[in-house]
Amino acid sequence: MSTTVRERWISPGDLNGFLGLVVDNLSVLAFLATALIGIFGFPADIVFLRMVPGTTFGVLLGNLAYTAMARRLAQRSGRTDVTAMPLGLDAPTSIGMAFLVLGPAFLHFKQTGLDAQAAGLATWRLGMASLVIMGVLKFVLSFFGGMVQRHVPRAGLLGSIAGIALVLMGFFPLVEILKHPLVGFAGLGVVLYALVARARMPWNLPGVLVAFVVGALLYYVLGSLGWLGSGYEPPKPWTWRFALPLPTLEWMGGMASAVPYLPLILPFGLLMVVGGINVTESARAAGDEYRTRDILLVEALATLVAGFCGGVAQTTPYIGQPSYKAMGAGTGYTLLTGLFVGLGGVFGYLSNLVELIPLSVLAPILVFVAIGITVQAFEATPMRYAPAVVFSFFPAIARMVAIKLSDPTYVAPEHVVALLGDRAHGFSELAIINALGNGFIITSMVWASFVVAMIDGKALRAALILLLGAALSLFGVIHSVQLSGGIYLPWQLDEAQRALAWQFAAAYAVLAVVLVALSLSASSRRTDAA
């Protein structure tokens, strides 16, 4: 017997959910845009007229699809309390794209002689190509998500993303907070008060919204009084920027430039597949039975379409579906969010909101997200694997140091080259830091995985993982000896770089042999004892 359910399109809970989901998306988009413009000097017109419309179009399509899926589930189950899966821009990988791919690529293009506009367009094409690559990868892996989850330990998956969170989403925004401590620290305190201490906000307002309001008021009031120094910028006039996210093949021009960044791009896509599996399980535990493959396919197609239309940041289903259900959200909040964010990219009002919110106001939200992701890496991983999670953080720390040391505004490029080539006392320390940080996401997965295997007493499995690490290291997928982090054939490197590449690869292979020998020795002792 079929049951007909007339679920309301919009409920009071949907308005709360809409507000929370919009703030989450706006936070990520604003930090992506302001980091590119404010930190790297990216041309604002390229960000707002080319990158933002396509990026928000992916949010629109994904949320519309999840709304339709939720309403079908309500009809099929005869329930009126179904909550749609929330979708938005992924914070860790979006910030990672800004700091690890788009920003450095823009500076590299400028160093080759391109002016800011030409370098910005080349970077935009690279960003589009990166998103298309991630979309294709996610589409393929959506059919094998369970297999990926079974073969990569949770410590490796969560540890690698926690490393991004801790040093990129946490430390870098913390620096932005302390550039305007009167503003940023107050906003951070409100975020911690509302979201960590879980204290109730006035009139039950979302804590993130209160933090925004407090931070913005302090910034513009204190700044207009001259208390924030030269770092204060008065609000810019409202500007309507109309740009349709039309499909284009310009991403093909960025494919060659994207190749050196594959060790970053591919893990970004992989992490979202596993994350999609986890959030689907979370929604199922809350009572909403979505098909995992459908959730993953929507995520993949939204990312792919966004890339074709000029986007540079991938979408993902958010982990907080049970929280939205608890606040009474149904199927309308994702519809409202998709329309508000998608149309905001087209008509430009999101760009104006982004320009009104300074980094010191946005940064506390990202610090909180960084704390949450890092805590989750330990909570969702058995305690005996905690050393593997911690061990996986070190490559991310190396990457953070390398980002700062290779920044031409910190260290002159010619001095960086001299430091890389200094072999007076063996390999250059900067060369080691650079190699350790290059491909750090995959490195973190490899390191955590072989430590997990050792903890489980599976020395042969650990050895096989190490041999995989040796192969990846040899070709620069991890531990690339090039400053750019590019992939290469080792015999085509110069003598100094080739020596370092072989050393890293051999180190993995030697450790694999040592572990096999230790395993055989232990087996022999057990046999003798028997």
Side-chain angles (χ1 to χ4, degrees):
M1 183 179 66
S2 62
T3 304
T4 301
V5 174
R6 290 186 173 273
E7 185 174 5
R8 296 172 60 183
W9 279 100
I10 306 295
S11 68
D14 282 317
L15 296 178
N16 291 331
F18 160 72
L19 188 58
L21 191 54
V22 163
V23 168
D24 284 344
N25 277 276
L26 182 60
S27 300
V28 178
L29 184 66
F31 198 88
L32 174 68
T34 49
L36 290 176
I37 297 169
I39 296 176
F40 293 100
F42 216 90
D45 63 312
I46 295 178
V47 173
F48 292 136
L49 295 177
R50 294 178 183 267
M51 292 182 172
V52 169
T55 300
T56 58
F57 189 52
V59 177
L60 169 61
L61 292 181
N63 275 300
L64 290 182
Y66 281 169
T67 301
M69 288 170 59
R71 295 191 71 82
R72 281 204 307 270
L73 177 60
Q75 291 289 335
R76 189 169 62 248
S77 63
R79 294 167 43 216
T80 58
D81 62 343
V82 171
T83 299
M85 183 73 76
L87 178 137
L89 299 176
D90 179 63
T93 63
S94 296
I95 305 308
M97 282 292 292
F99 281 113
L100 303 176
V101 179
L102 300 176
F106 175 69
L107 297 178
H108 172 72
F109 285 129
K110 288 181 67 176
Q111 289 170 4
T112 62
L114 296 179
D115 60 34
Q117 194 72 14
L121 289 173
T123 305
W124 170 57
R125 296 186 187 99
L126 184 156
M128 294 172 64
S130 301
L131 210 57
V132 170
I133 292 170
M134 283 188 277
V136 171
L137 176 67
K138 291 198 293 187
F139 178 80
V140 173
L141 289 181
S142 64
F143 297 96
F144 305 97
M147 183 182 70
V148 172
Q149 196 174 30
R150 285 192 302 272
H151 286 85
V152 181
R154 179 167 289 186
L157 291 167
L158 296 181
S160 60
I161 197 171
I164 298 176
L166 192 65
V167 302
L168 298 180
M169 288 183 64
F171 181 75
F172 282 169
L174 186 60
V175 172
E176 296 299 326
I177 287 172
L178 296 178
K179 285 182 179 179
H180 294 116
L182 292 176
V183 174
F185 211 62
L188 179 60
V190 172
V191 168
L192 297 177
Y193 179 77
L195 302 180
V196 175
R198 299 186 182 278
R200 184 177 177 181
M201 291 287 99
W203 304 291
N204 288 325
L205 291 172
V208 171
L209 179 62
V210 174
F212 271 12
V213 172
V214 169
L217 284 175
L218 287 172
Y219 180 83
Y220 286 113
V221 172
L222 297 180
S224 62
L225 295 174
W227 290 11
L228 299 182
S230 59
Y232 170 71
E233 293 185 9
K236 297 179 180 178
W238 192 274
T239 304
W240 290 106
R241 300 181 176 98
F242 181 78
L244 289 173
L246 299 175
T248 175
L249 294 178
E250 290 206 50
W251 59 269
M252 298 179 68
M255 274 295 181
S257 302
V259 170
Y261 298 98
L262 286 178
L264 294 168
I265 296 168
L266 295 178
F268 283 165
L270 173 63
L271 288 169
M272 292 308 96
V273 171
V274 177
I277 296 171
N278 290 336
V279 300
T280 307
E281 289 299 319
S282 175
R284 187 172 291 121
D288 293 331
E289 296 276 346
Y290 293 109
R291 288 186 59 192
T292 303
R293 183 173 297 179
D294 292 345
I295 294 294
L296 295 178
L297 283 174
V298 167
E299 173 192 356
L301 292 174
T303 296
L304 193 58
V305 172
F308 270 88
C309 295
V312 297
Q314 67 176 335
T315 54
T316 184
Y318 282 176
I319 192 66
Q321 196 266 1
S323 298
Y324 286 104
K325 177 177 283 293
M327 69 175 67
T331 62
Y333 80 108
T334 47
L335 173 65
L336 292 174
T337 300
L339 292 174
F340 182 84
V341 174
L343 294 178
V346 172
F347 292 103
Y349 55 79
L350 281 187
S351 301
N352 287 278
L353 291 175
V354 165
E355 289 180 317
L356 285 172
I357 306 173
L359 276 176
S360 55
V361 175
L362 283 170
I365 312 302
L366 297 175
V367 172
F368 164 73
V369 174
I371 292 172
I373 291 173
T374 307
V375 169
Q376 184 193 38
F378 290 99
E379 288 183 341
T381 304
M383 184 55 64
R384 68 181 186 277
Y385 298 140
V389 175
V390 174
F391 191 48
S392 70
F393 290 174
F394 292 120
I397 296 172
R399 183 58 188 161
M400 178 189 69
V401 175
I403 288 173
K404 288 303 183 184
L405 292 180
S406 60
D407 185 344
T409 62
Y410 280 72
V411 184
E414 56 272 15
H415 187 50
V416 172
V417 173
L419 289 174
L420 286 171
D422 182 9
R423 300 191 63 186
H425 304 286
F427 291 115
S428 158
E429 185 172 327
L430 180 57
I432 297 298
I433 292 172
N434 182 66
L436 178 57
N438 283 335
F440 73 96
I441 300 177
I442 300 179
T443 304
S444 295
M445 290 181 179
V446 171
W447 284 19
S449 297
F450 89 78
V451 173
V452 165
M454 289 194 300
I455 292 172
D456 288 340
K458 299 177 180 178
L460 292 179
R461 178 180 174 84
L464 290 175
I465 295 170
L466 287 165
L467 291 177
L468 173 62
L472 295 174
S473 179
L474 192 60
F475 297 97
V477 177
I478 61 175
H479 306 313
S480 172
V481 297
Q482 295 180 348
L483 185 61
S484 64
I487 301 171
Y488 43 71
L489 297 174
W491 49 86
Q492 294 181 347
L493 298 170
D494 62 44
E495 183 180 353
Q497 290 180 329
R498 187 165 59 249
L500 183 56
W502 282 109
Q503 287 279 336
F504 267 96
Y508 281 94
V510 168
L511 180 54
V513 172
V514 169
L515 289 181
V516 170
L518 290 173
S519 176
L520 293 176
S521 174
S523 298
S524 176
R525 289 195 301 272
R526 285 195 296 269
T527 301
D528 292 341

